[in-house]
């Protein structure tokens, strides 16, 4: 007689979790950073998105990741026609991102039932939640949003009138998506080595000729492109242009998609190489100052990139905590084991540092957009700070979450593998870690941003009302970090640029966490601030016990 199989415990499955409700700090932080009436308006939408992100949207993202876009270069009748086929799962996600949740529109116009454009903190809060399910699509969303901003800021009024409304609509039949074609095979991050040529025509339009090596959202309706318009070396000869997919005469523009990239991550979204063959384009801003105008779009893309890194870490922490509370080993739940508690605490701290920095940077950007010159400097340094450190931390946190899940985490049926693959892009997109760390130092030297950052931190620290010992330690560390950053900048010592970026990020996020803890009544965020000091800023004995049980209990609970 055949024996019945032995029953085994099912593997804990988080599918169906509302990712907004599962995040204990999501609502309190939004109430802190948003006007009360705006928070009340968007919270039901966040609740719906949280449910989608933990279930349907996550399923769609998994399908789209396994079925990346494909390129056809000719029609069946033999006509040259670059056509990118996207899986229905990706198209459904597009409808949610651009349509229902208006992610490329909310910071430009009234959308989602709100009477005016929303501040950056609201936009990033919605995108932060969406990204926890799908990373790749958020690149086209970000670039469409950033292109609209750059076009409105620098473009000729006739171009703004022609394209701006279509870039910022939530009607998918009218929507024009944006992209940024900057990278060349021989130049990489060195924009001064740009070789693509721009030649002016009698009618005032331009023709672009050359190859662009890495073009994400490659079939976008509009792209910002850097090209050499002047016979001058370096950046002085580079200008910024708007490249439409369709020319004014209604014909397809003169450039070809040569191939799509077979990428490690963001597989749902089409990235490719293009060849410009006298493509029609329009000058944006001043001739020979293309990098300055493009920098505005790049900085917004960098902040969006860092937001995505923060979101990947938040999703990873949610998954790891779900597993740790439901799986048992050696007679205990995983979350009760000392080493696991230490690992979960560190993952949580790194993830929450990034979210705090996201909100602080968004707030600085909002005030800068309203004409605050000091906040413009603040946003100028905060953006590379968060892009540099959060994107590097995401690689570690997503990997640790995979380890918490164990062998299943390495299997593509679960979200961990996709989160890990996507996380590695953040340190490359819009500037590698070295490039962005140097940009932090550049913001200190050229933009005189360090005094503004220090003053902003001092203001937050004063408002936090901390006990004397912790307040003094944070103030002392801030002073030390700022002296170090100023000296490295004055000495032009590029070797220490990464240490400058890391230390400024850590002290700013620690003070931000402490300020949030006081404002929303969250002692666990104060414990995070202490851990940032202990693990990431202060000297310590590598063989000493690091965390007391009460701190971990405050941070993790049971």
């Amino acid at each position: 007689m055949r024996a019945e199989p032995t029953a085994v415990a099912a593997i804990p499955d988080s599918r169906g979790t509302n990712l907004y409700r599962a995040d204990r700090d999501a609502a309190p932080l939004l109430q802190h950073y948003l006007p009360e009436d705006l928070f009340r308006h968007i919270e039901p939408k966040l609740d719906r998105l949280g449910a989608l992100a933990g279930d349907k949207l996550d399923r769609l993202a998994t399908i789209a990741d396994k079925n990346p876009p494909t390129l056809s270069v000719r029609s069946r009748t033999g006509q040259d026609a670059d056509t990118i086929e996207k899986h229905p799962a990706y198209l459904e996600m597009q409808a949610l991102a651009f349509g229902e949740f208006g992610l490329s529109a909310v910071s430009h116009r009234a959308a989602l039932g709100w009477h005016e454009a929303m501040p950056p903190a609201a936009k990033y809060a919605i995108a932060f939640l969406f990204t926890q399910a799908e990373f790749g699509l958020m690149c086209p969303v970000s670039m469409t949003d950033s292109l609209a901003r750059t076009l409105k800021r620098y473009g000729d009024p006739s171009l703004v009138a022609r394209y701006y409304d279509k870039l910022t609509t939530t009607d998918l039949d009218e929507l024009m998506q944006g992209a940024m074609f900057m990278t060349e095979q021989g130049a990489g991050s060195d924009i001064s080595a740009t070789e693509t040529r721009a030649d002016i025509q009698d009618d005032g339009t331009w023709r672009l000729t050359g190859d662009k090596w890495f073009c994400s959202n490659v079939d976008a309706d509009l792209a910002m492109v850097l090209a050499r318009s002047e016979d001058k070396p370096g950046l002085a000869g580079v200008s910024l242009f708007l490249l439409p997919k369709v020319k004014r005469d209604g014909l397809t523009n003169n450039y070809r998609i040569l191939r799509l990239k077979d990428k490690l991550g963001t597989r749902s979204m089409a990235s490719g190489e293009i060849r410009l063959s006298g493509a029609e384009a329009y000058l944006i801003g001043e001739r020979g100052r293309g990098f300055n105008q493009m920098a505005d779009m790049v900085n917004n893309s960098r902040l969006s990139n860092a937001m995505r890194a923060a979101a990947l870490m938040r999703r990873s922490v949610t998954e790891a905590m779900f597993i740790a509370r439901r799986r048992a080993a050696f007679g205990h739940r995983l979350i009760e084991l000392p080493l696991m508690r230490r690992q979960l605490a560190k993952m949580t701290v790194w993830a929450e540092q990034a979210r705090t920095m996201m909100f602080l940077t968004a707030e600085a950007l909002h005030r800068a957009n309203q004409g605050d010159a000091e906040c413009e400097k603040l946003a100028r340094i905060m953006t590379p700070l968060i892009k540099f450190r959060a994107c590097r931390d995401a690689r570690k946190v997503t990997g640790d979450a995979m380890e918490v899940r164990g062998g299943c985490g390495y299997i593509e049926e679960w979200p961990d593998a996709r989160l890990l693959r996507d996380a590695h892009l953040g340190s490359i997109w819009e500037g590698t870690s070295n490039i962005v760390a140097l940009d932090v130092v550049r913001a200190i030297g050229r933009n005189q941003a360090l005094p503004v950052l220090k003053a902003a931190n001092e203001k937050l620290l004063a408002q936090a009302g901390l006990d004397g010992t912790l307040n003094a330690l944070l103030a002392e560390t801030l002073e030390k970090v700022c002296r170090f950053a100023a000296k490295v900048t004055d000495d032009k010592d590029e070797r220490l640029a990464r240490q400058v970026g890391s230390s400024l990020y850590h002290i700013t996020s620690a003070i931000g966490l402490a300020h949030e803890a006081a404002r929303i009544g969250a002692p666990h965020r104060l414990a995070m601030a202490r851990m940032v000091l202990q693990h990431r800023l202060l000297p310590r004995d590598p063989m000493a016990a690091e965390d007391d049980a009460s701190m971990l209990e405050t941070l993790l609970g049971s």
Side-chain angles (χ1 to χ4, degrees):
M1 183 175 180
R2 189 173 181 179
E4 290 295 319
T6 302
V8 295
I11 296 169
D13 189 352
S14 62
R15 178 65 60 73
T17 299
N18 184 313
L19 296 181
Y20 178 69
R21 296 182 188 178
D23 181 353
R24 64 175 169 174
D25 285 344
L29 284 174
L30 284 172
Q31 284 183 288
H32 171 55
Y33 284 107
L34 295 179
E36 181 66 19
D37 55 346
L38 177 55
F39 168 71
R40 294 298 174 195
H41 177 78
I42 69 169
E43 190 182 31
K45 303 178 193 312
L46 291 168
D47 190 57
R48 168 167 161 73
L49 179 55
L52 288 170
D55 198 332
K56 180 181 179 180
L57 184 55
D58 190 63
R59 295 175 192 269
L60 293 173
T62 301
I63 294 169
D65 183 72
K66 295 180 186 300
N67 297 274
T70 58
L71 170 66
S72 297
V73 296
R74 280 194 166 189
S75 69
R76 66 178 184 175
T77 61
Q79 302 300 306
D80 289 340
D82 298 334
T83 304
I84 294 180
E85 295 291 338
K86 299 169 184 175
H87 194 275
Y90 184 85
L91 299 179
E92 192 169 349
M93 291 194 297
Q94 273 193 158
L96 289 168
F98 286 102
E100 179 176 348
F101 293 102
L103 280 170
S104 64
V106 293
S107 63
H108 297 281
R109 63 195 298 175
L112 285 141
W114 191 240
H115 59 275
E116 62 183 354
M118 295 184 188
K123 174 183 70 174
Y124 289 123
I126 301 168
F128 176 83
L129 190 51
F130 195 105
T131 305
Q132 290 182 51
E134 164 61 9
F135 183 98
L137 173 61
M138 299 309 291
C139 171
V141 167
S142 167
M143 290 195 296
T144 303
D145 174 31
S146 296
L147 190 149
R149 172 188 164 92
T150 302
L151 176 64
K152 188 174 183 180
R153 186 170 184 179
Y154 297 110
D156 185 272
S158 63
L159 293 176
V160 175
R162 189 185 311 170
Y163 294 122
Y164 183 76
D165 285 348
K166 293 187 176 183
L167 286 162
T168 59
T169 184
T170 57
D171 183 344
L172 268 67
D173 292 330
E174 294 292 320
L175 176 68
M176 299 185 81
Q177 291 190 34
M180 179 170 59
F181 300 166
M182 184 167 61
T183 308
E184 296 183 8
Q185 186 174 7
S189 298
D190 184 4
I191 303 303
S192 65
T194 294
E195 293 184 353
T196 297
R197 290 291 313 170
D199 298 299
I200 194 167
Q201 308 300 299
D202 292 339
D203 63 358
T205 61
W206 292 76
R207 298 292 181 268
L208 306 185
T209 304
D211 287 7
K212 291 295 181 178
W213 177 244
F214 208 107
C215 306
S216 290
N217 203 24
V218 68
D219 62 335
D221 302 287
L222 296 165
M224 289 292 186
V225 182
L226 288 175
R228 189 164 296 282
S229 63
E230 319 297 314
D231 291 325
K232 298 177 182 178
L235 291 175
V238 176
S239 298
L240 180 63
F241 297 90
L242 183 68
L243 174 74
K245 185 163 69 173
V246 177
K247 297 184 294 184
R248 289 172 299 171
D249 59 12
L251 298 177
T252 302
N253 210 345
N254 300 80
Y255 66 89
R256 301 298 309 275
I257 302 173
L258 301 179
R259 65 167 179 161
L260 298 185
K261 303 286 194 181
D262 185 10
K263 296 171 292 181
L264 173 70
T266 63
R267 297 181 63 83
S268 64
M269 182 267 299
S271 299
E273 303 164 22
I274 67 167
R275 174 160 293 160
L276 300 151
S277 303
E280 183 176 287
Y282 309 101
L283 180 68
I284 300 296
E286 186 180 342
R287 285 178 64 164
R289 290 182 55 80
F291 180 76
N292 297 78
Q293 280 97 46
M294 180 64 106
D296 182 69
M297 185 171 179
V298 169
N299 281 333
N300 274 272
S301 294
R302 282 179 174 175
L303 178 51
S304 294
N305 199 353
M307 173 276 296
R308 293 192 287 274
L312 292 177
M313 287 190 274
R314 179 65 251 169
R315 174 67 187 280
S316 296
V317 168
T318 299
E319 292 293 324
M321 295 292 285
F322 183 92
I323 293 297
R325 289 194 168 105
R326 289 164 178 80
R327 288 209 75 171
F330 313 111
H332 297 275
R333 291 184 305 150
L334 295 185
I335 198 169
E336 297 169 348
L337 301 174
L339 282 176
M340 179 60 73
R341 290 179 69 77
R342 184 170 177 268
Q343 182 175 350
L344 290 170
K346 284 191 172 184
M347 291 169 59
T348 302
V349 168
W350 291 19
E352 293 307 311
Q353 281 185 267
R355 175 157 53 175
T356 293
M357 290 291 285
M358 177 189 82
F359 279 124
L360 291 177
T361 310
E363 198 166 73
L365 180 62
H366 179 53
R367 292 177 181 172
N369 290 341
Q370 295 176 321
D372 188 320
E374 293 294 282
C375 281
E376 188 171 347
K377 291 182 180 181
L378 184 59
R380 172 67 185 87
I381 191 169
M382 291 281 286
T383 299
L385 278 180
I386 184 174
K387 200 282 185 185
F388 166 66
R389 190 67 257 169
C391 292
R392 294 187 65 79
D393 287 351
R395 288 153 40 181
K396 180 71 164 60
V397 172
T398 53
D400 280 1
M402 175 182 284
E403 184 178 344
V404 172
R405 183 166 258 129
C408 287
Y410 198 67
I411 306 303
E412 293 283 353
E413 293 175 318
W414 303 87
D416 307 87
R418 179 161 51 87
L419 294 171
L420 178 66
R421 288 188 279 106
D422 287 346
H424 278 263
L425 184 56
S427 294
I428 302 172
W429 245 347
E430 275 80 82
T432 61
S433 297
N434 288 344
I435 293 293
V436 179
L438 289 170
D439 195 40
V440 171
V441 176
R442 191 177 301 114
I444 295 171
R446 294 182 185 175
N447 302 95
Q448 300 298 302
L450 187 59
V452 180
L453 178 64
K454 184 183 180 187
N457 274 304
E458 289 171 338
K459 182 178 179 181
L460 289 176
L461 190 55
Q463 293 173 345
L466 304 176
D467 67 75
T469 302
L470 180 57
N471 187 82
L473 185 56
L474 285 166
E476 178 187 331
T477 306
L478 174 64
E479 186 68 35
K480 182 179 178 181
V481 167
C482 289
R483 284 200 307 269
F484 168 66
K487 185 177 188 306
V488 170
T489 303
D490 291 342
D491 293 346
K492 296 181 171 55
D493 191 350
E494 292 186 358
R495 300 171 304 161
L496 298 175
R498 291 166 76 115
Q499 285 96 314
V500 168
S502 290
S503 58
L504 285 172
Y505 174 89
H506 294 323
I507 188 58
T508 301
S509 60
I511 291 173
L513 283 163
H515 180 262
E516 290 168 348
R519 289 306 177 95
I520 69 174
H524 58 278
R525 295 192 82 78
L526 189 60
M528 293 176 196
R530 292 180 184 275
M531 283 191 69
V532 173
L533 276 173
Q534 182 173 321
H535 288 276
R536 313 198 80 177
L537 281 166
L538 300 180
R540 66 182 189 273
D541 181 351
M543 292 176 284
E546 294 180 312
D547 308 305
D548 60 62
S550 62
M551 182 185 291
L552 294 184
E553 180 65 27
T554 301
L555 202 160
L556 295 175
S558 58

